[in-house]
Amino acid sequence: MMKQGFQLNTTQKLKMSQKQMQSLNILTMDQTQLLEFMQNEYLENPMLEYTGGQDGVYGADDISSRYEHAITYEKTYEELIEEDDKRRRDLPDTEPELVKKTLLYQLPFQDFTEKQWELFNYMIDCLDETGFFTMSLEETALKAHVTLREAQQALGILKGLEPHGIFARDLRECLLIQLDFKGMKGTNTWKIVEEYLEDVAKGRIGTISRGLSLSTAQVRLCIQQIAHLNPRPMNFVAAGDKNKYIIPDILLKKEQGVWRAELNDGWIENYQINDYYIRIMKESQDEELCLYFQKKLDRVRLIQEGIRQRRQTLIDITTAIVAHQTAFFDGNGLLAPMTMAELAGELNIHASTVSRAAKGKYIQCRQGTLLLRDLFSAAVSSGDDEAAVNADNIKDMISRLIKEEDRKKPLSDQKITNALKEKGIHVSRRAVAKYREALGIKGSFERKL
């Protein structure tokens, strides 16, 4: 009996350990990492259902929204362009000369005749704004004053250029070219693009599953691979200048004079427990099948609890930060000294929990989109009778001293150190130099008129 009790306790501790580890793992994730985590879980866990409705989360429905018009109506991709343009409205416009230069520079100059180079230039000019070549070869040959064979050869050469998929006739060929270059010709993903692209667009996973004798999970994985292909090759022109956008995890808003924090994770509501498989599990007499679904269900519930805890922890931490930094967020002052350990003590949680929660997270506020970690700083002694100050306060004081200095006799770092000491701020000369350099201010010798 004692042995049995010992085994039971060990199992309970293991479960608690797994739950805590999963919660801490989810807490550490930023917005993008959590999104990817949920996508992968959706692909592998039939108990997790995705209902769609948010850019950047690709299930069958999302791929449908991207590809449906191009596949079903066989248009010139105009409707897909309109949708993609909404996603890329901040990107610079395509420049025809840049396109031509980027493509032609991939071809060895000595391998082609002047006539071929003229044909390449002409065919590049005929690309539509997605990067597809929709003109017939007969019309190309006629307008470029070349033979049909020469036009065919030129098209074959141009289809080998990067980005892969450029010069494709349509969406299907564009995706197949990319899969070919990835070494995926003949794979299940290839077959789905070749034979079932319209079903992908319509979200008919069952049709694809039956047609290729694949499980639903396998079809989902293939669809995920398709979603990561480029349906618009011409976008490579802007790729080099593409801005790096930061997705804030926390939104800080002032409502009726009070700052309130909310999480920017509404898309999580699109992931829910799959009622269909719950029903199957309840009705099935197959114990092995029921055990499989139960394990998958337990995992989904574990993840949901981890996300719930992540939300609550981030809100609690942000609320506490705002209480300390109200003057900063109101625009009436600098950041006050505040450490993670101090905040953890207030919230009665471990300092490592605050550290994990702040890792890689951004908060969007009046001052811009800031790293949550940057709102923490250690206090610097300011004397017995003065309030403590942090690094930002000191930088501001240094900046003011330098602005008010005599440019003919600029303040050295030591003189700045002494001036701060007179104000009750005790920092070393080396620290002053470090703060000055962080402000982008040159040394006294270089500042001298």
Side-chain angles (χ1 to χ4, degrees), residues 335-385:
L335 287 171
M338 177 183 60
T339 66
M340 292 185 183
E342 291 169 347
L343 199 70
E346 286 184 23
L347 297 174
N348 198 26
I349 58 178
H350 199 278
S352 64
T353 302
V354 179
S355 179
R356 285 189 175 95
K359 182 183 177 183
K361 311 296 193 304
Y362 284 87
I363 180 170
Q364 183 175 293
C365 55
R366 180 183 294 175
Q367 287 74 10
T369 303
L370 311 176
L371 263 173
L372 204 59
R373 276 185 176 273
D374 289 345
L375 299 177
F376 294 93
S377 64
V380 177
S381 173
S382 61
D384 297 333
D385 300 324

Side-chain angles (χ1 to χ4, degrees), residues 337 376-381 388-402 413 416-417 420 425-443 447:
F376 294 93
S377 64
V380 177
S381 173
V389 295
N390 67 4
D392 284 338
N393 297 131
I394 296 173
K395 287 179 183 178
D396 186 60
M397 291 179 185
I398 292 173
S399 179
R400 290 176 182 273
L401 285 170
I402 291 175
D413 291 337
I416 294 174
T417 303
L420 290 175
I425 309 299
H426 301 281
V427 293
S428 66
R429 183 197 60 78
R430 183 177 295 181
V432 168
K434 179 182 176 182
Y435 291 138
R436 174 180 54 74
E437 290 171 1
L439 289 166
I441 300 174
K442 297 177 181 179
R447 299 200 308 273

Side-chain angles (χ1 to χ4, degrees), residues 250-253 258-261 315-330 338 343 363 365 372 375:
I250 306 156
L251 307 176
L252 192 62
K253 301 177 180 178
V258 179
W259 287 110
R260 300 190 185 281
I315 289 295
D316 289 346
I317 289 174
T318 305
T319 302
I321 290 174
V322 173
H324 278 270
Q325 309 292 3
T326 302
F328 170 76
F329 289 116
D330 284 338
M338 177 183 60
L343 199 70
I363 180 170
C365 55
L372 204 59
L375 299 177

Side-chain angles (χ1 to χ4, degrees), residues 167-381:
F167 280 96
R169 290 289 190 183
D170 52 29
L171 177 63
R172 179 177 282 101
E173 185 182 10
C174 173
L175 300 180
L176 289 176
I177 289 173
Q178 293 175 58
L179 290 173
D180 190 14
F181 275 96
K182 288 177 176 287
M184 297 177 66
K185 188 171 185 177
T187 62
N188 289 328
T189 304
W190 174 281
K191 292 174 184 176
I192 289 175
V193 171
E194 191 173 40
E195 304 172 27
Y196 295 93
L197 200 53
E198 183 174 345
D199 293 305
V200 172
K202 296 293 186 181
R204 296 192 288 248
I205 293 179
T207 301
I208 302 170
S209 178
R210 290 189 295 272
L212 294 177
S213 299
L214 299 174
S215 68
T216 299
Q218 287 175 308
V219 174
R220 284 179 171 178
L221 284 170
C222 292
I223 290 176
Q224 183 75 349
Q225 291 175 332
I226 295 169
H228 284 91
L229 299 176
N230 181 11
R232 185 173 176 164
M234 190 65 84
N235 280 340
F236 80 96
V237 177
D241 299 323
K242 188 173 181 179
N243 295 323
K244 300 293 183 181
Y245 292 101
I246 294 173
I247 302 175
D249 299 84
I250 306 156
L251 307 176
L252 192 62
K253 301 177 180 178
K254 200 165 193 177
E255 299 175 357
Q256 298 180 343
V258 179
W259 287 110
R260 300 190 185 281
E262 62 182 55
L263 298 187
N264 185 26
D265 63 356
W267 53 268
I268 288 178
E269 302 299 330
N270 293 324
Y271 289 96
Q272 302 169 0
I273 292 175
N274 195 317
D275 292 335
Y276 173 73
Y277 287 112
I278 290 287
R279 191 163 59 252
I280 289 179
M281 185 174 67
K282 289 180 178 179
E283 296 173 357
S284 175
Q285 302 299 316
D286 188 331
E287 291 185 8
E288 187 175 349
L289 180 65
C290 290
L291 181 61
Y292 167 79
F293 280 130
Q294 186 61 53
K295 286 182 178 179
K296 295 295 184 181
L297 178 60
D298 289 344
R299 177 166 172 80
V300 173
R301 286 174 174 165
L302 190 67
I303 291 171
Q304 288 179 328
E305 176 60 19
I307 290 174
R308 187 197 67 76
Q309 290 184 9
R310 176 185 186 271
R311 282 177 160 176
Q312 189 60 56
T313 301
L314 283 174
I315 289 295
D316 289 346
I317 289 174
T318 305
T319 302
I321 290 174
V322 173
H324 278 270
Q325 309 292 3
T326 302
F328 170 76
F329 289 116
D330 284 338
N332 298 325
L334 299 173
L335 287 171
M338 177 183 60
T339 66
M340 292 185 183
E342 291 169 347
L343 199 70
E346 286 184 23
L347 297 174
N348 198 26
I349 58 178
H350 199 278
S352 64
T353 302
V354 179
S355 179
R356 285 189 175 95
K359 182 183 177 183
K361 311 296 193 304
Y362 284 87
I363 180 170
Q364 183 175 293
C365 55
R366 180 183 294 175
Q367 287 74 10
T369 303
L370 311 176
L371 263 173
L372 204 59
R373 276 185 176 273
D374 289 345
L375 299 177
F376 294 93
S377 64
V380 177
S381 173

Side-chain angles (χ1 to χ4, degrees), residues 82-100:
E82 184 178 349
E83 291 180 8
D84 272 1
D85 279 344
K86 292 177 183 177
R87 305 169 189 260
R88 300 176 173 87
R89 63 182 62 182
D90 294 326
L91 296 179
D93 293 334
T94 296
E95 300 178 18
E97 289 306 314
L98 180 57
V99 172
K100 188 173 293 186

